Amino acid sequence: MENLIGLLVAAPLLGAAVLLCGGRRLDRSGHWVGTALAAASFVVAAVLFAGMLGRDGDDRALHQHLFSWVPVGGFQADVAFQLDQLSMTFVLLITGVGSLIHLYSVGYMEHDERRRRFFGYLNLFLAAMLLLVLADNYLLLYVGWEGVGLASYLLIGFWQHKPSAATAAKKAFLVNRVGDVGLSIAIMLMFTTFGTFAFAPVLSSAEEAGEGRLTAIGLMLLLAACGKSAQVPLQSWLGDAMEGPTPVSALIHAATMVTAGVYLITRSGAIFDAAPDARTAVVTVGAVTLLFGAIVGCAKDDIKKALAGSTMSQIGYMILAAGLGPIGYVFAIMHLVTHGFFKAGLFLGAGSVMHAMNDEVDMRKYGGLRRYMPVTFMTFGLGYLAIIGFPGLSGFWSKDKIIEAAFAEGGTEGWILGGTALLGAAITAYYMTRVMLLTFFGEPRWGPTPSPAEPSAEPAAETAGEHAAPHPHEAPTTMTVPMIVLAVGSVAAGGLFSVGDAFLHWLEPVTGHEEGDSPLSAATVTGATLVVLLLGVALAWAQYGRAPVPRTAPRGSLLTRAARRDLLQDDFNHVVLVKPGQYLTRGLVYADHALIDGAVGGTAAAVGGLSARLRRVQNGFARSYAMSMLGGAALLVAATLLMRAV
């Protein structure tokens, strides 16, 4: 079984190589090649998963050593894989949801001239993420970590002819580099502390290291997680990343990139358990971000950016749970998996709406689409119910567990964290209900109303402008089938995981688990969650379901205007980082020109000037040389006599 692990990475990596190097001969079939190889990786994952289920819980980890990468003295770096329950969970999510997104992309990117390259980048993304979660050491994980960053840059900026897409790709790349510096420093500290960066010896020896050193490592790992998972203060790239094709948004937000930070913290749990200050920092970042993203999602009229704020918030829940330690590790991963289903479904549903609305993203120009896109409406609606925590659906089981774990932290901190998580649930219900109402309910706000009975009619021309009005219609089968499969996961996954605490028992041998001492019973927490859910839905209905929605957003309150600008995160970065960086750069340039270049240039000028004056002495006349010799001799004699006299 161990020999199959490498195939998980090899299949999509082969697809990337073939599609990116194979040339135009693959333009007609490349999309199917990429999809088939992604699906092949999922099949291998399913085989390995079945084999793991046949073993005892403590004997399920598999290892595959491929080769020694850097054997230099005491520095040993191997290319080796570790497949345990935690990495297996991620592998199934990445390959399963990733394959569905590949299939969806076949229809979504049908008319794109560079579709072959797009699928090559998708395969590269899967291969890098699989390498990240399968690595058995932090250095190999770093290779996958950087590969994910490269692939995200290529995919976010895939339509680089749009300045906004090119800028968004560069922004994502640069912000993530800040987090990557944190990971590289953490790996260096691990090597100097433990003499290795392999998971097993580092994590087993964590308690023996000094708390200060572990705190430093934990904070650097958190910085890395903030970059990849778009957590405060490195969250500014996520909304702009929506400039990429919608399948990219689904892949980044549901199955790959933003989940990497949660994986890193959970995998490094032993380090955080031994460094309480680092754990507190993780909890704080998660709590702040879950509210930050939710507030941003409330004010966005762009359907993809509203979902991006939602992702930021939901990942905040996961980071919060991971920061709770053994109380929350399992529930962080459980919510990550259920979120993978419903968030991928929501993004693919948004792409279906855009596909039908001539790529319009402003929800204020939608309305009434449930009559024209019934499959999209049903699948998106199930994802909506799952994310707000509707009883029985996936989000209900996983998010409620995180809220319970937050209260179980105990003391004042537990009440603060639990209250924050409940408030986030209320805001989630509000902004997601707003998305549903603006998109699928009410009267059409996109031009002349077409008849639902005549979906094939030619689109009517807009009364103002040269472009045709949108002609809402259902997406093709290659797009609706993945949406249906993901909707099934949105409904059933959380319940299946909770039967007999199946998911808890699955992960416990790797992550460990402790029952916290919550002041509230599970039934009380569930009741409180349902109350705040209903309040959020009711408020959204009162604002957007009972009154006509204007096509242009009103000015709104100060908080609304700030939320539309991502709570001024870009303004903050510009004032705190960009402007000082510009002044520093200008100062360094001035110092380079005035001091360094001035010193070098001045020395050269002095030597040149002295040389020019000395050249005048060398005039070629013998009488001048004789006079110089006589003068020199006279000076020597005078100096000698003077010295003797003294």
Side-chain angles (χ1 to χ4, degrees):
M1 295 290 289
E2 290 85 351
N3 295 330
L4 295 178
I5 299 176
L7 294 178
L8 292 169
V9 181
L13 189 61
L14 174 63
V18 169
L19 294 176
L20 296 176
C21 302
R24 295 186 178 278
R25 64 178 67 89
L26 290 172
D27 282 354
R28 294 185 177 181
S29 60
H31 48 289
W32 290 117
V33 172
T35 303
L37 287 170
S41 186
F42 175 69
V43 171
V44 174
V47 171
L48 288 167
F49 176 62
M52 291 180 71
L53 289 177
R55 301 187 177 198
D56 293 334
D58 296 328
D59 189 36
R60 284 173 171 165
L62 303 174
H63 293 82
Q64 182 182 19
H65 181 274
L66 296 183
F67 57 89
S68 293
W69 179 17
V70 188
V72 180
F75 185 89
Q76 181 72 28
D78 296 328
V79 174
F81 297 138
Q82 171 179 303
L83 185 65
D84 56 17
Q85 291 92 317
L86 178 61
S87 51
M88 185 79 255
T89 301
F90 276 83
V91 166
L92 289 171
L93 176 68
I94 294 164
T95 57
V97 175
S99 297
L100 292 173
I101 293 173
H102 274 69
L103 179 60
Y104 178 93
S105 301
V106 172
Y108 191 87
M109 301 295 289
E110 181 179 5
H111 302 295
D112 196 290
E113 296 179 353
R114 301 164 65 235
R115 181 166 62 167
R116 170 182 56 82
R117 180 174 296 183
F118 179 78
F119 276 83
Y121 292 160
L122 287 183
N123 274 197
L124 179 63
F125 209 151
L126 289 191
M129 190 65 192
L130 288 168
L131 179 63
L132 190 159
V133 299
L134 287 171
D136 83 333
N137 62 81
Y138 284 96
L139 190 61
L140 188 60
L141 179 149
Y142 187 79
V143 176
W145 192 272
E146 292 299 314
V148 168
L150 171 63
S152 66
Y153 170 79
L154 296 172
L155 286 168
I156 294 170
F158 184 75
W159 288 328
Q160 71 267 28
H161 59 276
K162 297 165 54 180
S164 57
T167 301
K170 182 174 66 175
K171 183 177 182 180
F173 190 82
L174 292 176
V175 172
N176 273 272
R177 295 292 72 72
V178 177
D180 295 351
V181 169
L183 181 56
S184 63
I185 293 174
I187 294 173
M188 296 176 200
L189 290 173
M190 287 176 193
F191 189 78
T192 58
T193 303
F194 304 104
T196 180
F197 32 68
F199 290 151
V202 168
L203 299 178
S204 63
S205 305
E207 293 184 355
E208 301 173 7
E211 184 176 320
R213 180 61 65 96
L214 291 177
T215 299
I217 294 174
L219 292 177
M220 290 299 100
L221 292 175
L222 174 60
L223 179 62
C226 287
K228 275 291 184 288
S229 295
Q231 300 293 284
V232 172
L234 300 179
Q235 78 286 3
S236 61
W237 65 271
L238 192 63
D240 293 340
M242 299 303 98
E243 292 294 335
T246 298
V248 175
S249 303
L251 194 61
I252 288 176
H253 288 247
T256 56
M257 188 168 178
V258 296
T259 64
V262 182
Y263 171 79
L264 181 65
I265 293 175
T266 305
R267 174 63 75 186
S268 307
I271 294 174
F272 289 96
D273 292 342
D277 291 341
R279 266 186 55 185
T280 300
V282 174
V283 169
T284 303
V285 166
V288 171
T289 307
L290 77 85
L291 292 180
F292 190 105
I295 293 171
V296 168
C298 291
K300 295 294 185 180
D301 292 328
D302 183 320
I303 186 171
K304 290 175 65 177
K305 291 191 175 183
L307 295 178
S310 168
T311 298
M312 195 186 306
S313 178
Q314 297 303 306
I315 298 294
Y317 272 104
M318 301 171 206
I319 296 292
L320 168 63
L324 296 173
I327 299 176
Y329 287 139
V330 171
F331 305 130
I333 303 303
M334 182 177 174
H335 192 55
L336 185 149
V337 176
T338 59
H339 176 265
F341 283 108
F342 57 68
K343 183 52 62 67
L346 289 169
F347 266 109
L348 297 189
S352 177
V353 170
M354 292 168 57
H355 183 267
M357 298 293 290
N358 295 345
D359 290 328
E360 177 61 65
V361 296
D362 188 347
M363 294 183 291
R364 291 183 178 274
K365 299 177 182 177
Y366 293 164
L369 292 180
R370 70 185 188 279
R371 291 175 288 173
Y372 308 98
M373 308 177 68
V375 176
T376 299
F377 168 64
M378 290 298 297
T379 55
F380 193 98
L382 290 173
Y384 152 72
L385 293 175
I387 194 173
I388 68 173
F390 189 82
L393 274 69
S394 291
F396 168 80
W397 300 104
S398 57
K399 189 188 293 184
D400 273 25
K401 288 295 185 182
I402 293 177
I403 297 174
E404 290 176 25
F407 279 110
E409 181 71 0
T412 304
E413 183 179 352
W415 283 102
I416 293 174
L417 294 177
T420 300
L422 278 175
L423 178 59
I427 302 174
T428 300
Y430 170 79
Y431 70 73
M432 285 305 305
T433 302
R434 174 179 181 268
V435 170
M436 281 296 295
L437 294 174
L438 289 177
T439 304
F440 295 103
F441 291 87
E443 295 300 319
R445 299 181 296 277
W446 31 267
T449 306
S451 171
E454 299 177 357
S456 60
E458 290 295 321
E462 288 183 319
T463 56
E466 299 177 358
H467 299 289
H471 179 160
H473 57 281
E474 194 55 84
T477 303
T478 53
M479 294 172 64
T480 55
V481 167
M483 291 158 57
I484 293 171
V485 174
L486 291 169
V488 172
S490 300
V491 172
L496 291 176
F497 292 162
S498 299
V499 174
D501 289 329
F503 197 78
L504 189 155
H505 295 316
W506 166 257
L507 276 186
E508 189 174 7
V510 179
T511 62
H513 181 67
E514 296 178 3
E515 294 292 340
D517 185 18
S518 176
L520 302 178
S521 66
T524 302
V525 172
T526 298
T529 305
L530 291 177
V531 169
V532 299
L533 182 156
L534 293 174
L535 288 175
V537 171
L539 180 59
W541 172 258
Q543 285 189 259
Y544 299 98
R546 299 178 58 187
V549 177
R551 287 172 61 94
T552 303
R555 190 165 184 265
S557 65
L558 180 62
L559 178 60
T560 300
R561 298 198 299 274
R564 287 175 186 155
R565 297 178 60 180
D566 300 328
L567 291 181
L568 309 179
Q569 56 184 324
D570 284 332
D571 303 82
F572 176 83
N573 290 341
H574 189 75
V575 172
V576 175
L577 300 175
V578 176
K579 293 297 289 184
Q582 290 175 341
Y583 290 133
L584 176 62
T585 302
R586 291 169 186 169
L588 292 174
V589 170
Y590 176 79
D592 180 57
H593 289 313
L595 299 179
I596 299 176
D597 288 352
V600 173
T603 302
V607 172
L610 180 61
S611 299
R613 285 162 178 77
L614 289 175
R615 274 201 307 271
R616 297 175 184 175
V617 179
Q618 304 296 321
N619 54 18
F621 294 112
R623 60 179 180 272
S624 297
Y625 299 157
M627 182 61 71
S628 298
M629 294 170 63
L630 178 61
L635 288 175
L636 287 174
V637 171
T640 302
L641 293 175
L642 181 61
M643 291 177 63
R644 286 183 178 181
V646 174

